[in-house]
Structures are given as C-alpha cells and as structure tokens.
Amino acid sequence: MSAAPAPAPAPSPRSNQSSEPRAPRAEGAAPRPPRGGRGRGSRTRTGGRPGSASDNIRRSLGRPGGPSQGSERAEKKAPEYLPAAPSKDVVRIVPLGGVEEVGRNMFTVETNGDIFVFDVGFQFVTEDTQPGVDYVLPNTKYLEVNKDRIRGIFITHGHLDHIGGIPFLMERMGNPTIYTQNLSAVMIKKRQEEYPDQPELNIVTVEPGSTMTIGSTKVQFFPVTHSIPDSMGIAVETPYGNVIATGDLKLDHENGIPTPAEAKKWGALGAQKNLFFIADSTNAERDGFSVPERKVHETLEEIIKTVKGRLIIGTFASQFERMVRIIEIAESLGKKVVTEGRSIKTNLEIAQKTGLLKVKKETIITSAEIGDYPPDKIVILSTGAQGEEFAALMRIATKQHKSITLTSRDTVVLSSSVIPGNEISVQRLKDHLYRSGASLIHYRSSDVHSTGHGNTGELIWINKQINAKYFMPAYGYYSMTASHAKAVEQAGRPRESIIVADNGTVIDIENGGETLNVHKQKVPSSPLVVDGFSISDLQEVVIRDRLMLAKDGMFVIIATVNLKTGKLRKSPDIISRGFVYLRENQDMLNQARLLIKKTVEDSTEGMNPVDLDFVKNALSDTMAGYLFTRTNKAPMVIPVLIGV
C-alpha cells in the first residue's frame, strides 16, 4: 500500500466563509462582454499607423531582443503523463483542482469504465500575483483525452468555485450531462446566458435522497448543510463499496450535538459499505463546532426588531437563506426592503423563481423610494461587505450613492467575515462608515455571520459516521487538507488510510479494494487561465512581464539605424512609463542617449549586413544594467530599432 503521510499542518489563518471569494469586479459594475471560452486567440489591439513607432513596439514584444530578451522562445517540455484507462477491477480517483487551493474544484471518480466528474469550479485571482488574468480553471487535459468515457458531471452546489468553470470547460469535455439540484441548475442556466456562443447544456435535476443508475453505475444523492440551499453530496457505488464526496458542508447542531436529522442522514450513509471518503477541509484549521446559521438568523431578527433608524445589512449575495430570512423578518414587521447590488438582485430573482422567496410585491422598493417611508421602516440589503471599491456598500459609505446618504441614526451590519486578502479594503470600508457617524455591527462583535464550512469537531464526527476504508481531505489549501488529515488521525483513523493529495495525483484502488496505489507521476494539473477572450495554460513569461511592468514600469528606446554604416541617423527617442519622470531626470536621460548611441555603433562595427536583433539584445542588456545602477529599479527595456 502506498499513501502519502499526513504532514503536520502549517499555520494559515483562514476566513470562515471561503466559498464566497472576492469578486474581480465590483457589484453593480457593467458586466464583462460574453467570452467564447474556446481559446481562439486574444483580443485584437488597435492603434497606431502601419510602420509607426507603436507598431514597431508591438512587433518588438514577441521578437528576440524584446522585453524578455528572447525568454518567450518555446522551451522543450517533458511528455505529459496521461495514463491509460484503468482495468474494470480498478477504481480511480483523480483530483484536478481544489486540493491545493480554495476554488477551481474538480475531481474524477472512475469505475466500471465510466468517468464521473465532480464540480467544475473556477478560482478568483489577485492582481498582485496574476495581473490581467480573469479566472483560474482546473486543467482538463486528462478529461479531454478520455471524454468518450465521461458519463456525467455532478455539481454539489451553486457557488462559483463549483460552477464557475462550466461556460469555459464543458465543450472541452464533450459537453456531458450535468446532474444537480434545482437551485444549482437555475444558477448554472442563468450564468450560461452570458455566454451565448457556448453549446446548450444538458442538465438533469435530481432530488435529495434519490438514487439513479448512470451508465452502468449506481449513484446516490444526499442533502448536506451549507450556506446555500440545494447543496448535496454524492455516493458512487463501485464493486468494493461507495466513493462518497461531501462537497462543501457543515453540521446543523445544538451546542456541539448534531440534530436528529443530521444523525439520521449520516447514520444511514455510514451503514453502507464505504470505500473512499472525500470531504470539505476549508475550516479544518478551526477547532470545535461552527456557529449554526440558525443562530445568525436569531441575531439578525433581534437587530431588525430593535434598531432605531435605517438598517443597512451587507452580506454575500450567495447567502440565499440569510437574505430570504432577512426579507421575511422585515416584511413581518411591516418594513420595506431595498436591494443594492447586481448579484443580490439576480440571486433574489432566482430565489423567487425557485420558490425559496415568497414576498409581497410592495415589500421590496427601489432606493429612490426610501424618502417615502420613515427611516425606522427601511432595511437596505447590500453587496460590498468585503470593501470592494465600486460595490454598493462602499459607494454608500463614501457618499457616492445617488439615493442613499448615511446619517448618525443609521446602523450598518456587516454580515460576513473578512476573506483573507481583503483586510485592508474592509478596514477602509469600516473607517468610511464610522466617519459618517453610523453605528456598526460586525461578526467579531455579534453573531451576525456563520461559516458554511464545518470546523474540526464536525469533520471528525462525519468521518467517523461514514467510516470509509480510505479518506482524502479536499476543498482547501494544502494547510487545510493537512490539518484535516491530522485531526482525523488523532481521532483514531489509521494514518496509512489517509491520502493528502496534490492536484493531478492519480489514486488507484486495486485487488478487491485492499491495495491503494498512488502513482508517482501526475496528470497535467497546471492551471488554465481565462485571459480576455482566450483560455490557455498559465504562461509564466507573460505573467512575469506583467509583474515587471507593474513594479518598475517600462523604458522604450526608439532609434533609427543606417543599415549601411550602422550609425544612428539622429538622437534616439526615449519613452518612460511607470519608471521615472523624465523631466526630473534630464542628466540620466542625456547619459542614456550617449550610451545608446555608443552601444549601437559599437555593436554594428564591422557588421555587414547589420543584424538588428543582435543589436537589440546588446542594447537591452546594457541599458538594463545602466538604469539599475542609476535608480535601483529594473524596468522592462524595449528597444525599437528602425533600419533605413
């Protein structure tokens, strides 16, 4: 038996609401144009006349001696590992995303010659590490070469880290049937409308507690508790027992004791023969039990009842049950609800369409109608609790909203935790709110937010109930999966039965379920990225160049060279962007021009014909060194040489 040991967890603070990562653009901003998602090339950039300096700069970017000094030349790659289909007596599990990060969730289960794909998520990116990239996707190369064996895709719930990759990846996988519950199906269809050039999806809506045979395999769907309705886990029957995956989940409990409904559900699953268990690890670094969502509803109800003046509640748009409950409480108290933020409006439309929200027409009003009612009768439900610059709550806080201006009588509730990376923007939001004189309630001062993910106490309890032969923690950064592994090991699970996997790990269960074979090689797992209109592998050279431009700017040299003599026809032009202000650095600029002239003419001495690519390489190296010695900065040097 070969299994990766469970390492000691590394400390890594983590938000308790990781399913709703920061959006790359603010709520209410104009939506991006639909993207084909077929990798047919990037956007066409225009500008400049043929033969102009701007054209020459663009041509220079991809040529030797350009900004990367030839770094974009193709590198020889090792052959990709794409193992053959397993034999009929082998059960294979391959995580393709979501076991080294929060987001881009996807893994496969193979049995009876059939492949089942679990979730097709994406991951949001941060501009400081991947500038210009829109989303990060799981690598589907393994599925693309085996798409004839894919029998279905199971979507555990409707959060974007589980459905966000669907418009970009379905065609690559042969557009197989999607199996999911009703709310998730509606959310997938709604999002697919933004990508009209994609093929129509085939979605089968399943009921919680139901069982169906897909291909030659029996599959069970069971409900789980999460921060969005219609969340489910899946049990795939194999010859050696069930492979069970939870998706994201927590437990409904009373003071650490699971409710009878939870005990019955997990007890019934545990009574079956279970081979392999895959479970959520997002909160595995938090001890004990999480705060039940029921407690949050009780707290919010008390606030809505007792607060004097207007009440503004900022939350995640994906918190369907919480938003529905807020509206129901407000309506029961005769209050009016204003919704601010495009995603909240969209999700409430979905909630009404699916029957989750039944509200009187007059309960929800527009922001322009606020003045028609006493402040005590107004509840504003808003996006932007993460401090996004152009989101509704930040516009309200900074007095940029056309209809809502905060006063000292207003109360603002931040019904969300702070997602890691958003600390500064959330602090800025809080500062603006306090400057307005409004009262502020947040999750650190009151139970106004609850995670959608179980803490360690819940995860251990569920693991014991399922009692599978093997266990793989998933849905989280490596520190989270390692912490999950350590917790269940300390609770009594044998260490050799735990697999802490990486993306691309191939796990085969053989010999009647008795042997666990973890392949030494991994299938392709480097992330795909959505960059403009294209979908491609993450190009390190491109990202490195973008980071260089963002850090130290660019230094463009435009010079005309006499191809007969190798001499400059005139003094070179210099353009600086994001590097130094040239007017205040005239001495350096004059010295740079002299050095450019000397470098070009020394490089071309005795050269016939003149090789401009060679000269550009020499000029890039010389000027990069000179600029660094003068400024301690390393701008991207782009020489544009025009031969005449």
Side-chain angles (χ1 to χ4, degrees), residues 79 87 94 97 115 187 265 282 396 429 478 520 536 551 561 614 644:
S87 60
V94 183
I115 294 180
M187 295 182 73
K265 171 181 62 184
T282 307
I396 293 171
L429 171 65
Y478 194 87
K520 292 181 179 179
S536 61
K551 182 180 179 183
V561 182
F614 175 83
V644 294

Side-chain angles (χ1 to χ4, degrees), residues 521-581:
Q521 291 177 284
K522 300 175 184 176
V523 300
S525 58
S526 59
L528 301 178
V529 296
V530 180
D531 189 5
F533 287 121
S534 67
I535 300 175
S536 61
D537 292 333
L538 184 63
Q539 300 295 323
E540 294 294 340
V541 170
V542 174
I543 298 301
R544 186 165 63 245
D545 285 349
R546 290 178 183 178
L547 290 171
M548 183 184 298
L549 285 168
K551 182 180 179 183
D552 289 331
M554 62 190 294
F555 189 86
V556 182
I557 303 163
I558 305 174
T560 305
V561 182
N562 188 318
L563 294 179
K564 292 182 178 180
T565 65
K567 306 294 184 182
L568 294 187
R569 294 290 297 271
K570 63 175 183 177
S571 179
D573 292 326
I574 294 175
I575 301 171
S576 171
R577 292 291 182 269
F579 171 47
V580 295
Y581 187 45

Side-chain angles (χ1 to χ4, degrees), residues 226-343:
H226 187 41
S227 58
I228 185 172
D230 279 3
S231 296
M232 69 176 186
I234 299 101
V236 176
E237 186 177 280
T238 79
Y240 316 132
N242 295 329
V243 175
I244 297 180
T246 66
D248 291 346
L249 87 166
K250 60 187 292 187
L251 280 179
D252 190 15
H253 64 91
E254 288 281 357
N255 299 318
I257 300 175
T259 62
E262 295 278 22
K264 180 180 179 181
K265 171 181 62 184
W266 293 106
L269 284 167
Q272 302 177 33
K273 183 180 180 182
N274 297 319
L275 174 70
F276 199 94
F277 185 44
I278 303 168
D280 182 13
S281 305
T282 307
N283 266 6
E285 295 171 307
R286 295 175 179 267
D287 294 332
F289 281 66
S290 61
V291 176
E293 183 68 17
R294 180 177 59 258
K295 177 66 174 175
V296 176
H297 293 174
E298 293 170 358
T299 304
L300 289 173
E301 182 171 7
E302 186 64 22
I303 291 172
I304 295 171
K305 283 181 178 179
T306 58
V307 159
K308 303 298 181 185
R310 290 185 305 186
L311 179 62
I312 299 98
I313 302 176
T315 190
F316 294 116
S318 58
Q319 292 278 3
F320 277 81
E321 291 182 356
R322 191 174 304 174
M323 293 192 299
V324 167
R325 187 63 187 137
I326 288 169
I327 293 172
E328 290 174 344
I329 294 168
E331 184 176 77
S332 69
L333 297 171
K335 298 192 175 190
K336 303 298 180 182
V337 178
V338 178
T339 57
E340 285 294 311
R342 186 172 65 91
S343 60

